[in-house]
Amino acid sequence: QWLRAISQGFRALDLNPQALLSQADIRLSELEQTDGRIDLARTLKLWNAAAAASEGSLGLQLGDYLTPLHFPLLAINLMHSQNLIDALMTAERYSSVISEGGRFALSEQDDLMTLTYLPADPSFNRHQIDTVLLLVKRFGEWLYCRSVPPRKVTLGFTVSDADKEDYERAYQCSPEFGAASHSLVYESHWFRQPLPGGEPALESMHQALLEEQLQRVRQPEVMVRVARCLQEAVHLDTDREQIAALLCMSVSTLQRKLSEAGTSFQQLLDTERERRAKQLLSATRVPITEISALLGFADSSAFSKAFRRWQGMSPLQFRQSL
């Protein structure tokens, strides 16, 4: 999700995202996968390629382009927070839904709150760091519905004198360069003021959606991608060959990766069949023979046998029990 948003930013800045992705060995089809993931090594290659192809402070320009609306589900969940401290705790819990490129630390001293960005790799370039810090700044202002200039900004890199004016304009203060950390420093009271947005009645629903995404992120990627293909299939009369082709890999590679993840294609197929069977039996009047065909069983007796194994009763008994 992070790289999809970044690629949109590259295009808005008149860079060629497809060429940059190619230099980083990232296929466009990978970004189009809802639950796809890109490893950190290729992410760094993408940033370095973009920095080489751009003029000026790329990170500042991306930080100006990106908004919370590029990450709608996280943004809506943060909006429900009581205050900024609560929002940061939510963001920390669900940050891997967007990216696993780093995390934040919060500390308070003398009525000042310091938010420090800790990159996952020391070789992050300044453009990555600027983009993240300015996006966090924008998130806070979006939640408060007003501009909140930091009291102080520290950056662990140096820039030319010609670039410093751009930094002052972007951060709304004069950053301290060559510092020991990458930090935004604010007056503490901002972090405890109640946030004006949000709708408590929707909070649990949005939280459940975000929790579902987090659980998918924590699973091995191949499991998530196979499960997604099965969920999106019109019917489940499918096999390993069809799914492997959809995922652009050989059947042997698919089987090996699923085995390494501690599962198999048949286990994932059975899980989706059980989920869909319970849904069709409880929410529709579709005849059991038709449900059997939709789930890819040879006949209704094979479906009944499998359903007894899953639920301890026949499909008809399950429907009548409801």
Side-chain angles (χ1 to χ4, degrees):
Q1 188 175 3
W2 175 247
L3 291 192
R4 278 199 297 269
I6 293 301
S7 296
Q8 292 172 21
F10 292 158
R11 184 175 290 107
L13 298 176
D14 293 326
L15 298 175
N16 184 336
Q18 195 157 355
L20 297 175
L21 289 168
S22 178
Q23 290 181 55
D25 302 319
I26 300 172
R27 298 189 304 275
L28 194 59
S29 60
E30 290 183 271
L31 291 191
E32 292 168 353
Q33 291 285 341
T34 305
D35 298 301
R37 301 175 210 170
I38 309 298
D39 58 87
L40 190 57
R42 289 188 294 162
T43 299
L44 291 171
K45 288 176 68 175
L46 176 63
W47 276 102
N48 290 334
S54 64
E55 296 180 1
S57 300
L58 174 64
L60 301 186
Q61 296 174 64
L62 284 172
D64 185 55
Y65 169 79
L66 292 175
T67 73
L69 295 181
H70 284 96
F71 314 96
L73 187 54
L74 180 63
I76 290 172
N77 275 271
L78 296 187
M79 187 175 68
H80 295 312
S81 303
Q82 297 298 311
N83 53 43
L84 197 54
I85 293 177
D86 187 30
L88 285 167
M89 291 175 65
T90 300
E92 178 72 15
R93 172 170 172 76
Y94 295 109
S95 62
S96 58
V97 167
I98 294 175
S99 169
E100 294 181 328
R103 62 184 186 85
F104 284 90
L106 194 64
S107 60
E108 184 175 16
Q109 185 176 9
D110 299 331
D111 296 324
L112 293 177
M113 196 76 78
T114 300
L115 184 63
T116 302
Y117 177 52
L118 306 167
D121 190 292
S123 63
F124 274 25
N125 64 45
R126 68 182 176 96
H127 306 296
Q128 292 173 263
I129 294 161
D130 283 329
T131 302
V132 172
L133 286 180
L134 287 171
L135 181 60
V136 169
K137 178 178 178 292
R138 178 166 283 196
F139 254 102
E141 294 174 340
W142 178 75
L143 290 170
Y144 278 123
C145 303
R146 60 175 293 179
S147 176
V148 186
R151 282 279 300 273
K152 181 181 178 183
V153 174
T154 65
L155 299 169
F157 52 81
T158 58
V159 300
S160 67
D161 290 339
D163 287 336
K164 288 183 178 178
E165 185 176 336
D166 292 335
Y167 274 83
E168 291 176 14
R169 183 165 52 250
Y171 285 102
Q172 297 176 279
C173 69
S174 298
E176 176 188 329
F177 295 98
S181 64
H182 315 295
S183 304
L184 301 173
V185 183
Y186 291 91
E187 295 175 3
S188 296
H189 70 87
W190 284 113
F191 285 73
R192 295 188 172 87
Q193 284 190 16
L195 297 178
E199 174 52 63
L202 297 175
E203 182 174 5
S204 60
M205 181 179 72
H206 291 146
Q207 186 90 8
L209 291 172
L210 197 53
E211 190 68 34
E212 181 183 331
Q213 278 202 5
L214 179 63
Q215 295 309 315
R216 288 204 304 269
V217 166
R218 287 175 172 172
Q219 291 178 337
E221 181 183 8
V222 68
M223 286 179 59
V224 175
R225 295 179 66 189
V226 170
R228 172 74 67 174
C229 288
L230 293 172
Q231 288 167 12
E232 293 176 350
V234 176
H235 56 75
L236 293 175
D237 183 16
T238 187
D239 54 29
R240 294 171 181 80
E241 287 75 13
Q242 291 171 304
I243 298 300
L246 283 173
L247 298 180
C248 303
M249 63 178 71
S250 67
V251 174
S252 60
T253 299
L254 175 63
Q255 290 177 312
R256 175 177 55 78
K257 287 188 173 185
L258 288 175
S259 177
E260 290 171 353
T263 188
S264 68
F265 176 78
Q266 190 61 50
Q267 284 179 288
L268 295 175
L269 178 60
D270 282 348
T271 297
E272 178 57 20
R273 280 174 165 172
E274 181 183 5
R275 185 194 70 81
R276 201 174 296 192
K278 290 192 294 183
Q279 182 183 51
L280 290 169
L281 289 168
S282 61
T284 76
R285 293 182 178 274
V286 176
I288 290 175
T289 53
E290 291 185 27
I291 293 176
S292 172
L294 286 169
L295 298 181
F297 287 97
D299 51 50
S300 56
S301 63
F303 170 46
S304 294
K305 183 178 179 181
F307 196 86
R308 282 184 182 278
R309 187 174 70 251
W310 299 331
Q311 295 293 314
M313 64 180 78
S314 72
L316 180 59
Q317 290 171 326
F318 179 83
R319 176 170 272 175
Q320 289 174 339
S321 71
L322 301 173

